[in-house]
Amino acid sequence: MKPNKLVTFFIVAAALLVLPLLLQQGGNAWVRIVDTALLYVLLALGLNIVVGYAGLLDLGYVAFFALGAYLFALLGSPHLAEAFPVIAAAFPEGLHLPIWAAIPAAAALAGFFGVVLGAPTLKLRGDYLAIVTLGFGEIIRVFLNNLDRPINLTNGPKGINQIDSMKFFGFDLGKPHEFLGIEVNSVSMYYYLFLVLVIVSVIICHRLENSRIGRAWMAIREDEIAAKAMGINTRNMKLLAFGMGATFGGVSGSMFAAFQGFVSPESFSLMESIMIVAMVVLGGIGHLPGVILGALLLAALPEVLRHVAGPLQAMTDGRLDSAILRQLLIALAMIVVMLMRPRGLWPSPEHAKPLVKPVKS
Amino acid sequence: MEVLLQQIINGLVLGSMYALIALGYTMVYGIINLINFAHGEVLMVGALTSWTIIGLMQEAMPGTPGWLILLISLLIAFVVCGALNFAIEKVAYRPLRNSPKLAPLITAIGMSLLLQTLAMMIWKPNYKPYPTLLPTEPFQVGGAVITVTQLFILGATAVSLSVLMWLVHYTRLGRAMRATAENPRVAALMGVRPDTVISATFIIGAILAALAGVMYASNYGTVQHTMGFLPGLKAFTAAVFGGIGNLGGAVLGGILLGLIESIGAGYIGPLTGGVLGSQYSDIFAFIVLIFVLTLRPSGLLGERVADRA
């Protein structure tokens, strides 16, 4: 690295490390916003593998997030013991698996479903694929909502609560800790965990992008038939993209479950999937800095706006409350950004070629 | 047996609404290859507009017959939705005609969200009862019951489908639409103005959606700003099911989907011994869709190979 690049690197790193400590002075709400934003970055990075690299439009991505979150919740809460006498006999307090078993299990389940979804849809492309993945997301959500009888697996619309927090070798992220005399509370601890995960994911994605696999994905994205003719096994590559993207979703899901301590079907609606797609496309599809920017903007801005919406609500006689204002601004952002920069806010400079041929006109 | 007949009637009613909405999706897709995600919201605006008009008319002119009020509110909803969809196309889709394909998809999602939000501000977020304007005495058909509202839905669907088919197959505009769907550039060389044709397509789609919205509201008796989402999704599924871009396919897909959903919801409980209930009816659409597309990637009546990314 050049010296001035190194300096920038250290400044950014220091700023990222200090950020939650500064924010937590103003209350946990602000740190929580940043935490959520980082979770969305993780999700957007995962979806970017499927949509950005391999060009497979997936509108049901949140299903994998949900699967990861629910599996983690089941393994780390008393719910299974309450619902099943067999389990209660062996584990009266619930399973409470250590995260070293729960997170890989969540990742594996999500990855498995990613491949299961990918397999029958290999022949489909574009909009057909979009609608099938969208349907898959809805199917998962309906099951989560209704699997509380005849056997109570998901506790239905009420969701599962009392989920364990993240514990590393007895170090509990759910409790405040003190380092060098500085009090670091639980939400800030999660910030550091999520930050590490985001950095690891960025490194993985970056390496993938320049690997044979990544190049094969991009070849499929640009022209599937040509890619096949050049000897790329398009079937395996597409399944790999689905599986890897879904694994990211599963890991993010287990983080979400542990962070919130509560999961319910409401968090996994179609709107969430659409928001994640919007983050990827709005930022700059297939371009890591763009994807991160898109995720941060769409996840954090509305939350920040929520805090300034009070006066507006008073001005407009209660019609324009914070939730409405938030939705209005997201909608306008999606339209205006796309009209002004159809390739995203921060598009990739070298792959400036369109993802697909422009629509004939 | 009566149960089956009843479910078939309900399924046909549901299916004809899906078919009307699906036509809007499929026409737009056939011409500019865009999933118009805001289509379900046009339906919602149509239903809420007619709700407002009905309320105003019942207050201003008490004693007007119900069918007349319904008709007038329907016509006004047509105008409002037609203008709305025309504007949406002009603002959010036309400038992006030559952009990467995901860009108009995102503006479409943004439009859908924007319309929902605006509707929430204009009409407030609560559920509103939609008045029953048609006679409520039902007819008996072989042990099953059919209401006047359901007859109105079936009749209006049949009429509007016939008009649409005539329009597409026997008029200048229809020929221009088919030519533009085939190849806009060549159509333009032949003296067709693609932009005009596209605008016309959006207006026709909006009218069908508004009709479906009023039907939906009359059938279920409530209106609200999120009411367009699920029917929009189902109708889009129906359009893909039948082979997107194919008008007959949209109608077939819509009616089949309605039938599957309604019969499935009626029988899933007894068939599975009560393990799965009718709350699963919303996913039949998607399960059927996945099966059909696995076997026939371009839908039931789709001829084109699904090669668009």
Side-chain angles (χ1 to χ4, degrees):
Chain A
M1 268 191 247
K2 283 182 200 152
N4 53 357
K5 226 178 173 182
L6 206 64
V7 171
T8 333
F9 175 78
F10 276 115
I11 292 175
V12 171
L16 282 175
L17 283 177
V18 182
L19 181 69
L21 301 177
L22 292 178
L23 283 179
Q24 74 183 23
Q25 309 302 326
N28 278 348
W30 290 98
V31 191
R32 194 168 275 277
I33 291 172
V34 181
D35 286 4
T36 320
L38 284 177
L39 262 183
Y40 275 113
V41 171
L42 268 183
L43 283 171
L45 286 171
L47 185 65
N48 185 47
I49 293 178
V50 188
V51 185
Y53 294 162
L56 304 162
L57 180 54
D58 184 349
L59 288 184
Y61 188 65
V62 84
F64 308 119
F65 185 50
L67 285 170
Y70 264 89
L71 189 66
F72 188 89
L74 287 176
L75 297 178
S77 79
H79 175 75
L80 278 182
E82 281 163 13
F84 298 96
V86 188
I87 295 176
F91 304 92
E93 303 287 306
L95 289 173
H96 296 292
L97 287 192
I99 55 164
W100 308 112
I103 297 177
L109 180 78
F112 171 73
F113 269 93
V115 175
V116 166
L117 169 67
T121 57
L122 285 173
K123 282 188 286 181
L124 305 175
R125 296 190 57 191
D127 302 331
Y128 288 85
L129 181 65
I131 189 73
V132 169
T133 50
L134 188 154
F136 176 73
E138 283 296 288
I139 290 174
I140 295 282
R141 199 183 55 81
V142 170
F143 271 106
L144 293 180
N145 218 347
N146 291 304
L147 271 184
D148 51 348
R149 65 200 159 82
I151 49 163
N152 186 354
L153 195 59
T154 65
N155 212 17
K158 287 193 291 292
I160 300 175
N161 50 20
Q162 297 176 47
I163 303 168
D164 293 350
S165 52
M166 291 280 165
K167 286 193 193 77
F168 297 94
F169 306 112
F171 183 82
D172 191 347
L173 290 190
K175 295 190 180 76
H177 291 270
E178 213 179 284
F179 297 99
L180 310 167
I182 303 169
E183 166 113 351
V184 180
N185 58 19
S186 168
V187 259
S188 302
M189 300 299 296
Y190 275 103
Y191 168 88
Y192 291 116
L193 173 66
F194 294 167
L195 188 65
V196 169
L197 275 174
V198 166
I199 292 170
V200 171
S201 307
V202 169
I203 294 171
I204 294 177
C205 288
H206 185 70
R207 305 289 298 211
L208 268 178
E209 199 178 327
N210 295 310
S211 68
R212 287 179 74 89
I213 295 175
R215 304 233 164 244
W217 281 338
M218 284 174 229
I220 293 174
R221 178 184 80 187
E222 298 300 332
D223 190 335
E224 184 170 347
I225 296 165
K228 207 169 194 168
M230 294 307 289
I232 292 171
N233 186 332
T234 53
R235 186 196 59 196
N236 287 1
M237 282 299 150
K238 283 178 165 185
L239 284 182
L240 188 65
F242 266 121
M244 288 207 68
T247 310
F248 267 76
V251 174
S252 319
S254 49
M255 295 298 140
F256 175 77
F259 176 56
Q260 299 278 334
F262 169 70
V263 288
S264 79
E266 247 175 63
S267 313
F268 309 107
S269 63
L270 178 66
M271 201 56 223
E272 291 293 313
S273 282
I274 289 177
M275 283 301 280
I276 303 168
V277 174
M279 286 168 183
V280 173
V281 179
L282 216 62
I285 190 161
H287 189 222
L288 288 176
V291 170
I292 296 172
L293 175 73
L296 288 178
L297 273 184
L298 273 191
L301 255 189
E303 296 299 326
V304 175
L305 288 168
R306 196 195 286 273
H307 289 264
V308 297
L312 262 173
Q313 186 175 355
M315 254 158 52
T316 54
D317 206 20
R319 277 198 177 214
L320 201 65
D321 73 3
S322 57
I324 297 185
L325 179 74
R326 181 168 169 263
Q327 215 171 322
L328 194 67
L329 285 165
I330 293 177
L332 283 174
M334 286 165 93
I335 298 169
V336 172
V337 170
M338 278 297 114
L339 287 177
M340 292 170 64
R341 298 186 69 99
R343 283 180 218 296
L345 285 170
W346 194 348
S348 161
E350 68 178 295
H351 308 289
K353 276 188 297 175
L355 185 61
V356 280
K357 274 177 240 116
V359 179
K360 56 192 176 175
S361 66
Chain B
M1 207 51 217
E2 281 93 43
V3 178
L4 182 63
L5 189 63
Q6 185 67 58
Q7 296 299 352
I8 289 177
I9 293 174
N10 294 348
L12 282 176
V13 169
L14 193 63
S16 49
M17 293 189 279
Y18 289 158
L20 286 181
I21 316 165
L23 280 169
Y25 275 111
T26 225
M27 283 193 299
V28 166
Y29 190 90
I31 291 192
I32 57 171
N33 293 333
L34 166 76
I35 306 178
N36 182 7
F37 261 102
H39 198 64
E41 272 57 54
V42 175
L43 172 151
M44 172 271 293
V45 170
L48 282 167
T49 308
S50 93
W51 175 79
T52 307
I53 302 296
I54 291 171
L56 289 177
M57 284 187 66
Q58 279 180 334
E59 201 156 303
M61 291 175 280
T64 322
W67 61 268
L68 188 64
I69 296 185
L70 193 64
L71 193 69
I72 293 173
S73 80
L74 201 53
L75 289 176
I76 294 177
F78 286 171
V79 175
V80 170
C81 288
L84 178 70
N85 223 14
F86 174 79
I88 292 176
E89 194 269 331
K90 209 140 202 180
V91 172
Y93 305 152
R94 185 166 298 182
L96 292 172
R97 234 24 86 79
N98 293 315
S99 305
K101 185 148 179 219
L102 283 177
L105 188 75
I106 299 294
T107 54
I109 294 170
M111 260 306 161
S112 145
L113 202 58
L114 184 69
L115 289 178
Q116 269 191 35
T117 318
L118 291 178
M120 183 156 62
M121 284 163 70
I122 296 170
W123 282 288
K124 298 276 168 77
N126 55 326
Y127 280 93
K128 290 160 274 286
Y130 192 86
T132 336
L133 295 167
L134 297 172
T136 45
E137 308 88 73
F139 298 99
Q140 297 283 331
V141 187
V145 173
I146 184 163
T147 63
V148 181
T149 306
Q150 287 178 318
L151 279 178
F152 151 71
I153 292 173
L154 291 175
T157 306
V159 170
S160 48
L161 284 184
S162 317
V163 172
L164 183 73
M165 289 302 163
W166 168 79
L167 192 80
V168 169
H169 288 286
Y170 298 103
T171 62
R172 268 185 81 83
L173 176 66
R175 201 163 52 180
M177 281 167 72
R178 281 179 290 144
T180 314
E182 203 62 48
N183 188 333
R185 209 161 287 160
V186 177
L189 290 177
M190 299 292 149
V192 173
R193 277 199 231 131
D195 281 348
T196 318
V197 172
I198 291 168
S199 293
T201 310
F202 271 87
I203 293 173
I204 296 170
I207 289 174
L208 294 174
L211 180 61
V214 171
M215 288 174 174
Y216 221 79
S218 326
N219 200 34
Y220 292 103
T222 55
V223 283
Q224 202 231 0
H225 68 277
T226 55
M227 66 177 283
F229 176 74
L230 206 55
L233 198 60
K234 299 264 181 68
F236 180 58
T237 309
V240 175
F241 186 27
I244 197 158
N246 182 316
L247 294 186
V251 176
L252 179 71
I255 290 180
L256 277 180
L257 196 67
L259 283 174
I260 292 168
E261 215 178 287
S262 166
I263 294 175
Y267 282 91
I268 187 168
L271 275 182
T272 56
V275 173
L276 300 177
S278 58
Q279 72 269 30
Y280 285 93
S281 72
D282 280 347
I283 62 175
F284 292 131
F286 303 116
I287 291 176
V288 169
L289 177 84
I290 292 174
F291 269 110
V292 170
L293 287 186
T294 312
L295 299 174
R296 273 192 69 93
S298 50
L300 286 179
L301 298 185
E303 296 145 35
R304 274 191 302 216
V305 188
D307 62 350
R308 295 179 203 281

